[in-house]
């Protein structure tokens, strides 16, 4: 039986810098193969070569034993059965869900016009299969939540005759419910003979859903192993090239009365009377399922969203925050969850991005070019951002390195109260541990940190106290020593609250 995918001796450079060096990669029919490696290792680039988004400098690509045509286009590869879900969302906001799913493959009616009704029907079937019956095919994509957008991308990717499905970090925007649906889908598609490439920094997922794992490091092929024969720790070590250590969050040791931020009684149509406090030196986590209202609450605090009621006290003083600018000047910072929409200026350099908030915070205080350059080199070094120069556009960085730029921008601005929404989305295991260290240092130096995270491992390893939300309400609050994945999930799905009678923290 011929291999489903064979990539042989692949080389690729960007602007004279080699990012793939003699890489081999294979997938058999019915196999789920994980592709692992640190941020910038070349995973997305290798898969974009398979989907013909990029052409390789040299090497061979075969699908089902047939060589890909010279200078193949993405449509050629789709014709050979290759479908790719990109790491960054690629939907058209001004089109409907159904129009996005069938973009360039619109269903035509007998009269030769696009048959919107039929497209809506077919889209609905796909969405139902993915457990997304609450998404209306006629809805504009711009009105969807980020997790819903990701599910639409998935529907789109499986909407035609696919033999090889590439998923580039599909779960980084999903939480448990959607992830479970996705894994069931992956297993079913594989059992029907589809080959699946699965890229993720969540090693537990790889153990759960993949058969094999191929590891890249700095553009080099390191190994391919059976997942059953390798531990998460061993995968991490091979990715990084040294031993990676994990840790567990400690307790809050500061003064419980030194409250830096207090938020009281925030309500609107969805959010129901939410209140919380965070003290100097504390790392507070917000856990819950996607759509629980955590990001909405933080948007209110940061002056992005209006609510019916709600009060904010900063260092004990009641404040009215009407815009992010107000928030920044009061010493707040907010790294949003969607780096491409709100976190980065994509067509600006790394340096401009990193120095952005500092500018807003110190109005009239011009930064010297040299100071900006120094700040940038320091942060590139500290966070190990993989780039050729600080003049490089943010858009050309790998996904995880873009996320590091967002984080650096807020580090440089030194807010006293820092809110991080999904701070390590797409960040590799090694860099993650480094970011947790930095967060702990920030707290130790007297800052308050609020982390919204759907990643339970993250919550357990860095948050000293955790508030859990479910459908616009706070359903639980736990100290770090009371936290386990099971207990958090019970509150997040509201099972625990149902047991105890509605409990608000
Ligand atoms: N269009 C581009 N132009 C210039 N350089 C690029 C481009 N795309 C990728 N690179 C560079 O190629 C290298 C590999 O990037 P790639 O996106 O493949 O990494 P990755 O393994 O997917 O990382 P991550 O886990 O962060 O997504 C990086 O150093 C990146 O900056
Ligand atoms: Mg990538």
């Amino acid at each position: 039986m011929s291999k489903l995918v064979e990539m042989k001796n692949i080389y690729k450079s960007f602007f004279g810098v080699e990012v793939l060096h003699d890489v081999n990669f294979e997938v058999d029919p019915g196999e789920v193969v994980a592709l692992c490696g640190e941020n910038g290792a070349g995973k997305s680039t290798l898969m974009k070569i398979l989907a013909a988004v990029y052409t390789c400098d040299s090497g061979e690509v075969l699908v089902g034993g047939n060589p890909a045509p010279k200078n193949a286009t993405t449509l050629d590869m789709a014709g050979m059965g290759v479908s790719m879900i990109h790491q960054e969302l690629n939907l058209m906001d001004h089109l409907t869900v159904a129009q996005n799913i069938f973009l360039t493959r619109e269903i035509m009616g007998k009269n030769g016009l696009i048959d919107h009704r039929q497209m809506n029907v077919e889209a609905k079937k796909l969405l139902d299969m993915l457990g997304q019956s609450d998404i209306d095919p006629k809805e504009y994509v711009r009105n969807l939540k980020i997790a819903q957008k990701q599910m639409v991308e998935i529907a789109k990717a499986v909407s035609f005759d696919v033999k090889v499905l590439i998923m580039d970090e599909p779960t980084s925007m999903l939480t448990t419910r959607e992830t479970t649906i996705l894994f069931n889908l992956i297993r079913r598609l594989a059992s029907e003979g589809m080959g699946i490439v699965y890229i993720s920094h969540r090693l537990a997922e790889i153990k759960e859903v993949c058969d094999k794992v191929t590891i890249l490091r700095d553009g080099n092929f390191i190994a391919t192993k059976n997942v059953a024969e390798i531990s998460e720790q061993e995968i991490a070590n091979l990715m990084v090239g040294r031993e990676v250590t994990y840790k567990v969050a400690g307790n809050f040791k500061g003064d419980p009365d030194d409250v830096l931020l207090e938020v009281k009684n925030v309500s609107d149509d969805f959010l129901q009377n939410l209140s919380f406090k965070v003290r100097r030196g504390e790392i507070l986590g917000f856990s819950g399922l996607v759509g629980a209202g955590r990001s909405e609450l933080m948007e209110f605090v940061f002056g992005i969203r209006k609510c019916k009621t709600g009060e904010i006290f900063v260092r004990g003083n009641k404040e009215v925050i009407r815009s992010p600018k107000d928030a920044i000047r009061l010493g707040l910072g907010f790294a949003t969850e969607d780096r491409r929409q709100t976190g980065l200026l994509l067509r600006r350099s790394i340096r401009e991005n990193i120095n952005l908030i500092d500018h807003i915070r110190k109005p009239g205080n011009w930064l010297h070019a040299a100071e900006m350059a120094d700040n940038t080199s320091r942060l590139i070094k500290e966070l190990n951002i993989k780039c050729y120069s600080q003049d490089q556009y943010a858009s050309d960085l790998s996904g995880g390195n873009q996320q590091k730029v967002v984080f650096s921008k807020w580090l440089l601005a030194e807010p006293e109260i820092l809110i991080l929404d999904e701070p390590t989305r797409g960040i590799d295991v090694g860099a993650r541990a480094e970011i947790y260290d930095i967060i702990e240092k920030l707290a130790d130096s007297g800052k308050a940190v609020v982390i919204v995270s759907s990643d339970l491992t993250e919550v357990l390893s860095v948050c000293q106290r955790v508030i859990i939300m479910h459908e616009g309400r706070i359903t639980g609050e736990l100290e770090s020593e009371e936290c386990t994945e099971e207990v958090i999930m019970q509150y997040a799905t509201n099972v625990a609250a149902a047991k105890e009678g509605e409990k608000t923290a």
Side-chain angles (χ1 to χ4, degrees), residues 299-340:
E299 285 169 8
F300 168 73
V301 174
F302 207 63
I304 300 171
R305 168 183 296 267
K306 298 242 169 326
C307 286
K308 269 196 213 118
T309 63
E311 290 179 323
I312 299 172
F313 298 82
V314 180
R315 290 173 285 269
N317 304 316
K318 185 165 176 193
E319 303 285 356
V320 178
I321 298 180
R322 288 200 188 80
S323 68
K325 222 177 208 169
D326 289 348
I328 290 166
R329 292 197 176 140
L330 284 167
L332 273 81
F334 181 27
T336 52
E337 63 177 329
D338 189 344
R339 57 179 171 253
R340 289 175 75 90

mmCIF file of all heavy atoms in Angstrom, residues 299-340:
data_model
loop_
_atom_site.group_PDB
_atom_site.id
_atom_site.type_symbol
_atom_site.label_atom_id
_atom_site.label_comp_id
_atom_site.label_asym_id
_atom_site.label_seq_id
_atom_site.Cartn_x
_atom_site.Cartn_y
_atom_site.Cartn_z
ATOM 1 N N GLU A 299 -13.252 42.666 29.566
ATOM 2 C CA GLU A 299 -13.442 43.791 28.639
ATOM 3 C C GLU A 299 -14.150 44.949 29.328
ATOM 4 O O GLU A 299 -13.868 46.110 29.064
ATOM 5 C CB GLU A 299 -14.253 43.334 27.415
ATOM 6 C CG GLU A 299 -13.425 42.499 26.454
ATOM 7 C CD GLU A 299 -14.257 41.820 25.375
ATOM 8 O OE1 GLU A 299 -15.473 42.108 25.280
ATOM 9 O OE2 GLU A 299 -13.702 41.003 24.643
ATOM 10 N N PHE A 300 -15.058 44.623 30.233
ATOM 11 C CA PHE A 300 -15.725 45.679 31.007
ATOM 12 C C PHE A 300 -14.693 46.408 31.868
ATOM 13 O O PHE A 300 -14.623 47.631 31.885
ATOM 14 C CB PHE A 300 -16.832 45.089 31.887
ATOM 15 C CG PHE A 300 -17.351 46.067 32.893
ATOM 16 C CD1 PHE A 300 -18.159 47.122 32.494
ATOM 17 C CD2 PHE A 300 -16.998 45.976 34.236
ATOM 18 C CE1 PHE A 300 -18.619 48.058 33.407
ATOM 19 C CE2 PHE A 300 -17.446 46.905 35.162
ATOM 20 C CZ PHE A 300 -18.259 47.956 34.750
ATOM 21 N N VAL A 301 -13.862 45.646 32.569
ATOM 22 C CA VAL A 301 -12.873 46.249 33.454
ATOM 23 C C VAL A 301 -11.944 47.174 32.669
ATOM 24 O O VAL A 301 -11.545 48.232 33.130
ATOM 25 C CB VAL A 301 -12.040 45.154 34.168
ATOM 26 C CG1 VAL A 301 -10.917 45.766 34.982
ATOM 27 C CG2 VAL A 301 -12.940 44.291 35.042
ATOM 28 N N PHE A 302 -11.648 46.791 31.447
ATOM 29 C CA PHE A 302 -10.659 47.539 30.664
ATOM 30 C C PHE A 302 -11.296 48.650 29.814
ATOM 31 O O PHE A 302 -10.631 49.281 29.008
ATOM 32 C CB PHE A 302 -9.883 46.565 29.768
ATOM 33 C CG PHE A 302 -8.499 47.054 29.453
ATOM 34 C CD1 PHE A 302 -7.568 47.227 30.463
ATOM 35 C CD2 PHE A 302 -8.135 47.339 28.149
ATOM 36 C CE1 PHE A 302 -6.288 47.684 30.166
ATOM 37 C CE2 PHE A 302 -6.848 47.794 27.847
ATOM 38 C CZ PHE A 302 -5.931 47.973 28.862
ATOM 39 N N GLY A 303 -12.596 48.875 29.978
ATOM 40 C CA GLY A 303 -13.232 49.977 29.255
ATOM 41 C C GLY A 303 -13.548 49.679 27.809
ATOM 42 O O GLY A 303 -13.748 50.595 27.008
ATOM 43 N N ILE A 304 -13.594 48.399 27.445
ATOM 44 C CA ILE A 304 -13.910 48.044 26.058
ATOM 45 C C ILE A 304 -15.407 47.791 25.919
ATOM 46 O O ILE A 304 -15.990 47.998 24.873
ATOM 47 C CB ILE A 304 -13.130 46.773 25.642
ATOM 48 C CG1 ILE A 304 -11.631 47.011 25.753
ATOM 49 C CG2 ILE A 304 -13.489 46.337 24.219
ATOM 50 C CD1 ILE A 304 -10.782 45.763 25.566
ATOM 51 N N ARG A 305 -16.034 47.311 26.998
ATOM 52 C CA ARG A 305 -17.439 46.911 26.939
ATOM 53 C C ARG A 305 -18.237 47.689 27.980
ATOM 54 O O ARG A 305 -17.759 47.931 29.078
ATOM 55 C CB ARG A 305 -17.508 45.401 27.240
ATOM 56 C CG ARG A 305 -18.883 44.853 27.492
ATOM 57 C CD ARG A 305 -18.792 43.390 27.840
ATOM 58 N NE ARG A 305 -18.280 42.646 26.706
ATOM 59 C CZ ARG A 305 -19.043 42.063 25.782
ATOM 60 N NH1 ARG A 305 -20.346 42.099 25.884
ATOM 61 N NH2 ARG A 305 -18.507 41.432 24.772
ATOM 62 N N LYS A 306 -19.447 48.070 27.591
ATOM 63 C CA LYS A 306 -20.322 48.743 28.568
ATOM 64 C C LYS A 306 -21.212 47.698 29.240
ATOM 65 O O LYS A 306 -21.621 46.740 28.593
ATOM 66 C CB LYS A 306 -21.238 49.737 27.850
ATOM 67 C CG LYS A 306 -20.522 50.852 27.134
ATOM 68 C CD LYS A 306 -20.902 52.194 27.733
ATOM 69 C CE LYS A 306 -20.027 53.334 27.242
ATOM 70 N NZ LYS A 306 -18.626 53.011 26.983
ATOM 71 N N CYS A 307 -21.492 47.892 30.516
ATOM 72 C CA CYS A 307 -22.426 46.999 31.199
ATOM 73 C C CYS A 307 -23.488 47.849 31.870
ATOM 74 O O CYS A 307 -23.300 49.047 32.067
ATOM 75 C CB CYS A 307 -21.698 46.158 32.239
ATOM 76 S SG CYS A 307 -20.716 44.850 31.489
ATOM 77 N N LYS A 308 -24.593 47.211 32.242
ATOM 78 C CA LYS A 308 -25.687 47.960 32.892
ATOM 79 C C LYS A 308 -25.256 48.474 34.245
ATOM 80 O O LYS A 308 -25.436 49.639 34.571
ATOM 81 C CB LYS A 308 -26.902 47.042 33.058
ATOM 82 C CG LYS A 308 -27.852 47.106 31.882
ATOM 83 C CD LYS A 308 -29.197 46.501 32.262
ATOM 84 C CE LYS A 308 -29.822 45.815 31.071
ATOM 85 N NZ LYS A 308 -30.023 44.383 31.245
ATOM 86 N N THR A 309 -24.690 47.573 35.054
ATOM 87 C CA THR A 309 -24.205 47.994 36.361
ATOM 88 C C THR A 309 -22.789 47.473 36.522
ATOM 89 O O THR A 309 -22.369 46.566 35.812
ATOM 90 C CB THR A 309 -25.034 47.390 37.509
ATOM 91 O OG1 THR A 309 -24.890 45.963 37.453
ATOM 92 C CG2 THR A 309 -26.500 47.758 37.394
ATOM 93 N N GLY A 310 -22.089 48.034 37.484
ATOM 94 C CA GLY A 310 -20.732 47.561 37.739
ATOM 95 C C GLY A 310 -19.861 48.700 38.220
ATOM 96 O O GLY A 310 -19.941 49.804 37.698
ATOM 97 N N GLU A 311 -19.065 48.438 39.266
ATOM 98 C CA GLU A 311 -18.166 49.456 39.805
ATOM 99 C C GLU A 311 -16.753 48.914 39.831
ATOM 100 O O GLU A 311 -16.547 47.722 40.044
ATOM 101 C CB GLU A 311 -18.571 49.792 41.244
ATOM 102 C CG GLU A 311 -19.882 50.545 41.328
ATOM 103 C CD GLU A 311 -20.236 50.834 42.775
ATOM 104 O OE1 GLU A 311 -19.972 49.986 43.643
ATOM 105 O OE2 GLU A 311 -20.757 51.926 43.020
ATOM 106 N N ILE A 312 -15.798 49.835 39.622
ATOM 107 C CA ILE A 312 -14.392 49.432 39.626
ATOM 108 C C ILE A 312 -13.630 50.288 40.633
ATOM 109 O O ILE A 312 -13.741 51.520 40.616
ATOM 110 C CB ILE A 312 -13.780 49.606 38.218
ATOM 111 C CG1 ILE A 312 -14.520 48.721 37.222
ATOM 112 C CG2 ILE A 312 -12.294 49.262 38.232
ATOM 113 C CD1 ILE A 312 -14.119 48.966 35.785
ATOM 114 N N PHE A 313 -12.874 49.631 41.495
ATOM 115 C CA PHE A 313 -12.028 50.330 42.451
ATOM 116 C C PHE A 313 -10.578 49.956 42.168
ATOM 117 O O PHE A 313 -10.248 48.774 42.141
ATOM 118 C CB PHE A 313 -12.375 49.932 43.887
ATOM 119 C CG PHE A 313 -13.783 50.298 44.275
ATOM 120 C CD1 PHE A 313 -14.844 49.486 43.912
ATOM 121 C CD2 PHE A 313 -14.031 51.469 44.971
ATOM 122 C CE1 PHE A 313 -16.147 49.836 44.255
ATOM 123 C CE2 PHE A 313 -15.331 51.820 45.316
ATOM 124 C CZ PHE A 313 -16.398 51.001 44.958
ATOM 125 N N VAL A 314 -9.768 50.984 41.938
ATOM 126 C CA VAL A 314 -8.355 50.724 41.717
ATOM 127 C C VAL A 314 -7.599 51.300 42.909
ATOM 128 O O VAL A 314 -7.753 52.482 43.219
ATOM 129 C CB VAL A 314 -7.868 51.365 40.395
ATOM 130 C CG1 VAL A 314 -6.389 51.091 40.180
ATOM 131 C CG2 VAL A 314 -8.682 50.845 39.215
ATOM 132 N N ARG A 315 -6.814 50.476 43.574
ATOM 133 C CA ARG A 315 -6.119 50.864 44.810
ATOM 134 C C ARG A 315 -7.077 51.556 45.781
ATOM 135 O O ARG A 315 -6.757 52.565 46.394
ATOM 136 C CB ARG A 315 -4.942 51.787 44.507
ATOM 137 C CG ARG A 315 -3.779 51.079 43.806
ATOM 138 C CD ARG A 315 -2.697 52.047 43.363
ATOM 139 N NE ARG A 315 -3.129 52.785 42.197
ATOM 140 C CZ ARG A 315 -2.914 52.401 40.940
ATOM 141 N NH1 ARG A 315 -2.252 51.305 40.689
ATOM 142 N NH2 ARG A 315 -3.364 53.106 39.929
ATOM 143 N N GLY A 316 -8.303 51.043 45.866
ATOM 144 C CA GLY A 316 -9.276 51.556 46.823
ATOM 145 C C GLY A 316 -10.105 52.736 46.345
ATOM 146 O O GLY A 316 -11.086 53.102 46.983
ATOM 147 N N ASN A 317 -9.702 53.353 45.235
ATOM 148 C CA ASN A 317 -10.464 54.503 44.743
ATOM 149 C C ASN A 317 -11.447 54.081 43.672
ATOM 150 O O ASN A 317 -11.088 53.343 42.752
ATOM 151 C CB ASN A 317 -9.524 55.548 44.124
ATOM 152 C CG ASN A 317 -8.473 55.974 45.119
ATOM 153 O OD1 ASN A 317 -8.776 56.215 46.291
ATOM 154 N ND2 ASN A 317 -7.230 56.012 44.657
ATOM 155 N N LYS A 318 -12.648 54.600 43.763
ATOM 156 C CA LYS A 318 -13.637 54.293 42.746
ATOM 157 C C LYS A 318 -13.248 55.024 41.459
ATOM 158 O O LYS A 318 -12.943 56.211 41.486
ATOM 159 C CB LYS A 318 -15.010 54.743 43.221
ATOM 160 C CG LYS A 318 -16.058 54.342 42.260
ATOM 161 C CD LYS A 318 -17.454 54.418 42.805
ATOM 162 C CE LYS A 318 -18.325 54.062 41.632
ATOM 163 N NZ LYS A 318 -19.691 54.324 41.765
ATOM 164 N N GLU A 319 -13.239 54.303 40.351
ATOM 165 C CA GLU A 319 -12.822 54.907 39.087
ATOM 166 C C GLU A 319 -13.866 54.633 38.011
ATOM 167 O O GLU A 319 -14.531 53.607 38.048
ATOM 168 C CB GLU A 319 -11.494 54.286 38.606
ATOM 169 C CG GLU A 319 -10.348 54.395 39.581
ATOM 170 C CD GLU A 319 -9.742 55.792 39.655
ATOM 171 O OE1 GLU A 319 -10.170 56.672 38.877
ATOM 172 O OE2 GLU A 319 -8.849 55.994 40.508
ATOM 173 N N VAL A 320 -13.966 55.560 37.060
ATOM 174 C CA VAL A 320 -14.805 55.302 35.892
ATOM 175 C C VAL A 320 -13.858 55.056 34.719
ATOM 176 O O VAL A 320 -13.051 55.917 34.390
ATOM 177 C CB VAL A 320 -15.726 56.498 35.597
ATOM 178 C CG1 VAL A 320 -16.556 56.226 34.348
ATOM 179 C CG2 VAL A 320 -16.626 56.753 36.793
ATOM 180 N N ILE A 321 -13.927 53.878 34.150
ATOM 181 C CA ILE A 321 -13.030 53.548 33.041
ATOM 182 C C ILE A 321 -13.857 53.501 31.767
ATOM 183 O O ILE A 321 -14.700 52.628 31.595
ATOM 184 C CB ILE A 321 -12.315 52.199 33.303
ATOM 185 C CG1 ILE A 321 -11.453 52.300 34.569
ATOM 186 C CG2 ILE A 321 -11.471 51.792 32.092
ATOM 187 C CD1 ILE A 321 -10.696 51.035 34.933
ATOM 188 N N ARG A 322 -13.657 54.477 30.892
ATOM 189 C CA ARG A 322 -14.479 54.550 29.685
ATOM 190 C C ARG A 322 -13.783 53.970 28.461
ATOM 191 O O ARG A 322 -14.410 53.682 27.463
ATOM 192 C CB ARG A 322 -14.826 56.014 29.379
ATOM 193 C CG ARG A 322 -15.818 56.594 30.338
ATOM 194 C CD ARG A 322 -16.508 57.824 29.764
ATOM 195 N NE ARG A 322 -17.321 58.447 30.809
ATOM 196 C CZ ARG A 322 -16.824 59.234 31.751
ATOM 197 N NH1 ARG A 322 -15.543 59.536 31.759
ATOM 198 N NH2 ARG A 322 -17.603 59.734 32.683
ATOM 199 N N SER A 323 -12.465 53.861 28.536
ATOM 200 C CA SER A 323 -11.726 53.387 27.362
ATOM 201 C C SER A 323 -10.456 52.704 27.840
ATOM 202 O O SER A 323 -10.030 52.901 28.979
ATOM 203 C CB SER A 323 -11.341 54.582 26.489
ATOM 204 O OG SER A 323 -10.382 55.356 27.190
ATOM 205 N N PRO A 324 -9.826 51.922 26.962
ATOM 206 C CA PRO A 324 -8.555 51.296 27.332
ATOM 207 C C PRO A 324 -7.512 52.323 27.757
ATOM 208 O O PRO A 324 -6.694 52.066 28.636
ATOM 209 C CB PRO A 324 -8.130 50.581 26.049
ATOM 210 C CG PRO A 324 -9.412 50.285 25.356
ATOM 211 C CD PRO A 324 -10.315 51.439 25.677
ATOM 212 N N LYS A 325 -7.577 53.514 27.149
ATOM 213 C CA LYS A 325 -6.629 54.560 27.513
ATOM 214 C C LYS A 325 -6.773 54.924 28.987
ATOM 215 O O LYS A 325 -5.782 55.048 29.706
ATOM 216 C CB LYS A 325 -6.894 55.786 26.654
ATOM 217 C CG LYS A 325 -5.652 56.455 26.157
ATOM 218 C CD LYS A 325 -6.032 57.605 25.266
ATOM 219 C CE LYS A 325 -4.943 57.840 24.259
ATOM 220 N NZ LYS A 325 -5.357 58.758 23.200
ATOM 221 N N ASP A 326 -8.029 55.092 29.439
ATOM 222 C CA ASP A 326 -8.269 55.361 30.867
ATOM 223 C C ASP A 326 -7.652 54.248 31.707
ATOM 224 O O ASP A 326 -7.008 54.498 32.726
ATOM 225 C CB ASP A 326 -9.777 55.369 31.188
ATOM 226 C CG ASP A 326 -10.490 56.592 30.621
ATOM 227 O OD1 ASP A 326 -9.785 57.532 30.191
ATOM 228 O OD2 ASP A 326 -11.738 56.584 30.600
ATOM 229 N N ALA A 327 -7.903 53.005 31.276
ATOM 230 C CA ALA A 327 -7.432 51.851 32.042
ATOM 231 C C ALA A 327 -5.914 51.839 32.116
ATOM 232 O O ALA A 327 -5.321 51.653 33.192
ATOM 233 C CB ALA A 327 -7.953 50.560 31.415
ATOM 234 N N ILE A 328 -5.268 52.089 30.993
ATOM 235 C CA ILE A 328 -3.802 52.053 30.941
ATOM 236 C C ILE A 328 -3.225 53.122 31.863
ATOM 237 O O ILE A 328 -2.279 52.891 32.605
ATOM 238 C CB ILE A 328 -3.312 52.222 29.487
ATOM 239 C CG1 ILE A 328 -3.656 50.965 28.674
ATOM 240 C CG2 ILE A 328 -1.803 52.480 29.445
ATOM 241 C CD1 ILE A 328 -3.524 51.136 27.170
ATOM 242 N N ARG A 329 -3.852 54.300 31.855
ATOM 243 C CA ARG A 329 -3.323 55.382 32.699
ATOM 244 C C ARG A 329 -3.536 55.116 34.173
ATOM 245 O O ARG A 329 -2.835 55.676 35.016
ATOM 246 C CB ARG A 329 -3.915 56.718 32.265
ATOM 247 C CG ARG A 329 -3.373 57.049 30.893
ATOM 248 C CD ARG A 329 -3.515 58.474 30.491
ATOM 249 N NE ARG A 329 -2.838 58.594 29.191
ATOM 250 C CZ ARG A 329 -3.278 59.307 28.188
ATOM 251 N NH1 ARG A 329 -4.391 60.010 28.314
ATOM 252 N NH2 ARG A 329 -2.603 59.338 27.065
ATOM 253 N N LEU A 330 -4.496 54.262 34.498
ATOM 254 C CA LEU A 330 -4.674 53.875 35.909
ATOM 255 C C LEU A 330 -3.758 52.713 36.292
ATOM 256 O O LEU A 330 -3.838 52.194 37.397
ATOM 257 C CB LEU A 330 -6.125 53.456 36.148
ATOM 258 C CG LEU A 330 -7.152 54.584 36.229
ATOM 259 C CD1 LEU A 330 -8.560 54.023 36.146
ATOM 260 C CD2 LEU A 330 -6.958 55.364 37.524
ATOM 261 N N GLY A 331 -2.941 52.267 35.338
ATOM 262 C CA GLY A 331 -2.000 51.193 35.658
ATOM 263 C C GLY A 331 -2.520 49.800 35.364
ATOM 264 O O GLY A 331 -2.021 48.822 35.903
ATOM 265 N N LEU A 332 -3.539 49.712 34.514
ATOM 266 C CA LEU A 332 -4.007 48.382 34.127
ATOM 267 C C LEU A 332 -3.422 47.965 32.780
ATOM 268 O O LEU A 332 -3.113 48.818 31.939
ATOM 269 C CB LEU A 332 -5.547 48.371 33.994
ATOM 270 C CG LEU A 332 -6.343 48.094 35.268
ATOM 271 C CD1 LEU A 332 -6.457 49.345 36.093
ATOM 272 C CD2 LEU A 332 -7.721 47.563 34.932
ATOM 273 N N GLY A 333 -3.300 46.685 32.583
ATOM 274 C CA GLY A 333 -2.886 46.146 31.285
ATOM 275 C C GLY A 333 -3.788 44.987 30.932
ATOM 276 O O GLY A 333 -4.285 44.299 31.816
ATOM 277 N N PHE A 334 -4.012 44.779 29.643
ATOM 278 C CA PHE A 334 -4.910 43.694 29.220
ATOM 279 C C PHE A 334 -4.397 43.097 27.922
ATOM 280 O O PHE A 334 -4.487 43.709 26.866
ATOM 281 C CB PHE A 334 -6.325 44.270 29.025
ATOM 282 C CG PHE A 334 -7.379 43.254 28.615
ATOM 283 C CD1 PHE A 334 -7.277 41.913 28.955
ATOM 284 C CD2 PHE A 334 -8.497 43.667 27.900
ATOM 285 C CE1 PHE A 334 -8.269 41.006 28.597
ATOM 286 C CE2 PHE A 334 -9.496 42.767 27.536
ATOM 287 C CZ PHE A 334 -9.370 41.436 27.885
ATOM 288 N N ALA A 335 -3.817 41.909 27.997
ATOM 289 C CA ALA A 335 -3.397 41.213 26.783
ATOM 290 C C ALA A 335 -4.589 40.361 26.330
ATOM 291 O O ALA A 335 -4.970 39.417 27.005
ATOM 292 C CB ALA A 335 -2.188 40.335 27.070
ATOM 293 N N THR A 336 -5.204 40.754 25.221
ATOM 294 C CA THR A 336 -6.454 40.118 24.784
ATOM 295 C C THR A 336 -6.194 38.733 24.190
ATOM 296 O O THR A 336 -5.064 38.396 23.858
ATOM 297 C CB THR A 336 -7.157 40.967 23.712
ATOM 298 O OG1 THR A 336 -6.215 41.258 22.697
ATOM 299 C CG2 THR A 336 -7.678 42.251 24.309
ATOM 300 N N GLU A 337 -7.268 37.962 24.025
ATOM 301 C CA GLU A 337 -7.091 36.578 23.591
ATOM 302 C C GLU A 337 -6.851 36.451 22.092
ATOM 303 O O GLU A 337 -6.299 35.456 21.643
ATOM 304 C CB GLU A 337 -8.296 35.721 24.000
ATOM 305 C CG GLU A 337 -9.589 36.138 23.350
ATOM 306 C CD GLU A 337 -10.759 35.216 23.716
ATOM 307 O OE1 GLU A 337 -10.532 34.024 23.946
ATOM 308 O OE2 GLU A 337 -11.886 35.708 23.766
ATOM 309 N N ASP A 338 -7.294 37.438 21.318
ATOM 310 C CA ASP A 338 -7.200 37.271 19.879
ATOM 311 C C ASP A 338 -6.067 38.126 19.333
ATOM 312 O O ASP A 338 -6.231 39.293 19.036
ATOM 313 C CB ASP A 338 -8.526 37.672 19.227
ATOM 314 C CG ASP A 338 -8.548 37.315 17.755
ATOM 315 O OD1 ASP A 338 -7.466 37.053 17.192
ATOM 316 O OD2 ASP A 338 -9.634 37.316 17.171
ATOM 317 N N ARG A 339 -4.874 37.518 19.215
ATOM 318 C CA ARG A 339 -3.699 38.333 18.909
ATOM 319 C C ARG A 339 -3.794 39.008 17.563
ATOM 320 O O ARG A 339 -3.293 40.099 17.367
ATOM 321 C CB ARG A 339 -2.419 37.518 19.019
ATOM 322 C CG ARG A 339 -2.387 36.297 18.144
ATOM 323 C CD ARG A 339 -1.061 35.562 18.297
ATOM 324 N NE ARG A 339 -1.121 34.298 17.615
ATOM 325 C CZ ARG A 339 -1.205 33.135 18.239
ATOM 326 N NH1 ARG A 339 -1.233 33.081 19.539
ATOM 327 N NH2 ARG A 339 -1.265 32.033 17.539
ATOM 328 N N ARG A 340 -4.440 38.385 16.584
ATOM 329 C CA ARG A 340 -4.463 38.992 15.253
ATOM 330 C C ARG A 340 -5.498 40.104 15.131
ATOM 331 O O ARG A 340 -5.328 41.028 14.356
ATOM 332 C CB ARG A 340 -4.685 37.930 14.186
ATOM 333 C CG ARG A 340 -3.441 37.056 14.036
ATOM 334 C CD ARG A 340 -3.668 35.933 13.097
ATOM 335 N NE ARG A 340 -3.674 36.332 11.705
ATOM 336 C CZ ARG A 340 -2.605 36.371 10.933
ATOM 337 N NH1 ARG A 340 -1.436 36.063 11.426
ATOM 338 N NH2 ARG A 340 -2.706 36.713 9.676
#
